[in-house]
Amino acid sequence: MTVSRTKAAGAALLTVAAGLGIRAVADGDIAKYAGDALYTVLVCALVLVAAPRTRPLAMAGTGLALSWAVELLQLTGLPADLSRHSTVARLVLGSTFNAPDLLWYAVGAGIAWAATAPAARSGARPERGPIPANDVPPASGPAPDRPRC
């Protein structure tokens, strides 16, 4: 499957807009866990921006692994320190480990996979094989009298 970088970047921007929209209309656990899932959807879209030929399962697995790595990094306290000094660090790395986030990252990876898998199945990556010998078009002009090797 090949996704254009433009489409992947557009999906990333739509994901950010969806996250901001959810924060604007909801709060509490709904906004938090929807944000967690969308975080992984965003990471998956960025995987496709970086590597457009990535297959859906590899994209989802990479996005999930990166999201889990960031969450587990929060156990060290480093993201909390960085978050105190930078809004960007707070948005990207978070600050506090929360085990349920791991589940919601998996939900986001599943959503990203489900959104890209149909394109992969629909022929975005056609099967290729050898051309059968009897389907080779004839050469122009009369057929040679000598046997073919």
Side-chain angles (χ1 to χ4, degrees):
M1 178 184 99
T2 299
V3 173
S4 75
R5 283 189 166 97
T6 304
K7 285 182 181 178
L13 290 174
L14 285 174
T15 303
V16 170
L20 294 173
I22 287 173
R23 287 283 182 177
V25 299
D27 57 357
D29 286 347
I30 292 172
K32 179 184 179 355
Y33 295 126
D36 288 344
L38 287 170
Y39 179 89
T40 300
V41 171
L42 174 61
V43 172
C44 290
L46 294 175
V47 166
L48 291 178
V49 168
R53 292 179 178 248
T54 305
R55 292 184 181 183
L57 189 58
M59 175 263 318
T62 301
L64 180 58
L66 291 170
S67 297
W68 280 353
V70 168
E71 188 68 26
L72 294 172
L73 182 65
Q74 292 171 356
L75 291 169
T76 67
L78 178 63
D81 290 340
L82 294 173
S83 294
R84 280 192 281 277
H85 304 290
S86 168
T87 302
V88 172
R90 184 176 52 81
L91 292 172
V92 173
L93 300 175
S95 61
T96 308
F97 177 78
N98 185 26
D101 290 353
L102 299 171
L103 168 68
W104 291 101
Y105 296 143
V107 169
I111 291 168
W113 173 83
T116 55
R121 285 192 302 267
S122 72
R125 194 169 180 257
E127 287 186 30
R128 299 176 198 252
I131 298 173
N134 59 354
D135 287 349
V136 175
S140 60
D145 291 335
R146 61 182 190 266
R148 297 170 99 177
C149 296

